[in-house]
């Protein structure tokens, strides 16, 4: 049964003034960030309805809004098609399509969704419309202006990602118990690095911590053994959507 959710007409706080401040603009500049066009538009790679495959929301029927663009090039990236492919669409149109799926869970992902400044507008408008919203972000871009109602699923890039230097450590101080930290583990060396970082920065006192095996690089069984051996206070996860449907788009 299709549920119609009223789309608020008010311009949100993220859109006030027509853009993010010049200071924030300069702070986040890096190659691969998509420049905003108009405040009511985003470049969208795809929108689809599936089961959430990761985070504490795993298994929940969810609408995914995948934005185009990413300034990172992780070695294990499984969404490289989102680097450039996409269509510029009005945010009103995006919300209207989300509403046709009749679920309360929405995940905004990428690429790196925060590479488009107008992502902040989308996140706030989704929250205003009554959705339970999560954001999947690389941890390389400032998360300070993300709506407080959004659950931020933030990566910490390991050495095996090839993008460890892009970690924005200032983001850790902005996380709350409502958010989650995710490590994608590619090897024993990655695991040891992540384990030590958890202890050095007391990450489990900030928010839940997720460990995920890099698909086809280490087995879930191997990572599970390490987690159990060291009695880590983490949520071990696999990518459920890949277990069900394999490595394919739109799931």
């Amino acid at each position: 049964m299709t549920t119609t959710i009223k789309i608020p007409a008010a311009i949100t706080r993220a859109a006030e003034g027509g853009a993010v401040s010049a200071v924030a603009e300069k702070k986040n500049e890096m190659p691969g960030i998509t420049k905003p066009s108009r405040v009511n538009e985003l470049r969208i790679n795809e929108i689809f309805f599936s089961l959430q495959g990761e985070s504490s929301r795993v298994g929940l029927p969810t609408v995914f809004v995948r934005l185009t663009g990413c300034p990172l090039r992780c070695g294990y990236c499984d969404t490289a098609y989102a680097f450039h492919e996409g269509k510029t669409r009005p945010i009103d149109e995006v919300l209207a399509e989300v509403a046709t799926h009749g679920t309360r869970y929405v995940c905004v992902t990428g690429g790196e969704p925060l590479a488009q400044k107008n992502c902040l507008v989308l996140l706030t408008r989704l929250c205003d419309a009554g959705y339970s919203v999560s954001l999947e972000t690389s941890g390389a871009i400032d998360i300070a202006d993300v709506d407080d109602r959004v659950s931020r699923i933030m990566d910490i890039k390991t050495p095996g990602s090839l993008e460890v230097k892009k970690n924005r450590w200032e983001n850790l101080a902005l996380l709350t118990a409502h958010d989650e930290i995710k490590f994608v583990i590619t090897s024993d060396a990655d695991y040891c690095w992540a384990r030590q970082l958890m202890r050095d920065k007391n990450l489990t006192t900030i928010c839940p911590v997720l460990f995920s095996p890099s698909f086809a690089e280490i087995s879930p069984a191997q990572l599970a053994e390490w987690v159990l051996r060291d009695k880590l206070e983490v949520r071990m996860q696999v990518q459920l959507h890949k277990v069900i449907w394999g490595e394919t788009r739109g799931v």
Side-chain angles (χ1 to χ4, degrees), residues 14-232:
E16 289 176 0
V20 178
S21 70
V23 172
E25 188 81 32
K26 182 177 179 62
K27 180 168 55 179
N28 284 332
E29 280 184 359
M30 63 175 74
I33 288 186
T34 302
K35 297 295 183 182
S37 50
R38 288 177 288 184
V39 74
N40 64 337
E41 291 182 344
L42 281 165
R43 190 158 181 81
I44 302 296
N45 177 264
E46 59 183 346
I47 300 174
F48 60 95
F49 183 50
S50 187
L51 296 180
Q52 175 58 263
E54 303 181 75
S55 80
S56 63
R57 299 177 177 222
V58 66
L60 291 173
T62 301
V63 179
F64 292 83
V65 181
R66 188 182 306 282
L67 274 59
T68 300
C70 185
L72 281 71
R73 293 294 182 267
C74 299
Y76 49 68
C77 181
D78 56 4
T79 54
Y81 59 86
F83 291 166
H84 306 292
E85 294 178 15
K87 178 182 177 183
T88 300
R89 299 177 63 178
I91 291 178
D92 283 348
E93 182 181 292
V94 173
L95 266 71
E97 182 170 341
V98 168
T100 65
H101 295 288
T103 183
R104 65 182 295 260
Y105 297 102
V106 180
C107 178
V108 179
T109 187
E112 166 52 72
L114 293 180
Q116 296 189 54
K117 300 294 189 271
N118 294 344
C119 177
L120 299 173
V121 182
L122 174 64
L123 291 168
T124 294
R125 292 194 61 187
L126 286 167
C127 290
D128 289 345
Y131 294 106
S132 178
V133 183
S134 60
L135 168 72
E136 295 183 344
T137 180
S138 65
I141 297 178
D142 189 0
I143 62 171
D145 293 328
V146 174
D147 194 293
D148 292 340
R149 294 169 292 179
V150 174
S151 179
R152 297 167 294 190
I153 316 301
M154 191 189 84
D155 280 15
I156 293 181
K157 299 301 182 184
T158 64
S161 73
L162 308 181
E163 291 285 25
V164 67
K165 292 182 179 179
K166 298 288 181 62
N167 286 317
R168 183 181 174 84
W169 299 111
E170 296 89 341
N171 280 337
L172 290 178
L174 302 173
L175 296 172
T176 71
H178 182 57
D179 303 313
E180 299 175 23
I181 293 170
K182 184 179 77 173
F183 291 91
V184 177
I185 307 296
T186 70
S187 65
D188 177 66
D190 261 7
Y191 174 81
C192 293
W193 182 89
R195 180 185 61 192
Q196 190 61 47
L197 187 73
M198 280 181 57
R199 293 169 177 169
D200 291 345
K201 295 187 177 294
N202 296 314
L203 296 184
T204 57
T205 66
I206 300 173
C207 64
V209 177
L210 314 170
F211 272 32
S212 180
S214 178
F215 193 71
E217 289 193 80
I218 64 170
S219 72
Q222 180 64 80
L223 181 55
E225 287 176 12
W226 294 337
V227 168
L228 291 171
R229 178 195 65 198
D230 295 331
K231 299 180 175 60
L232 293 190

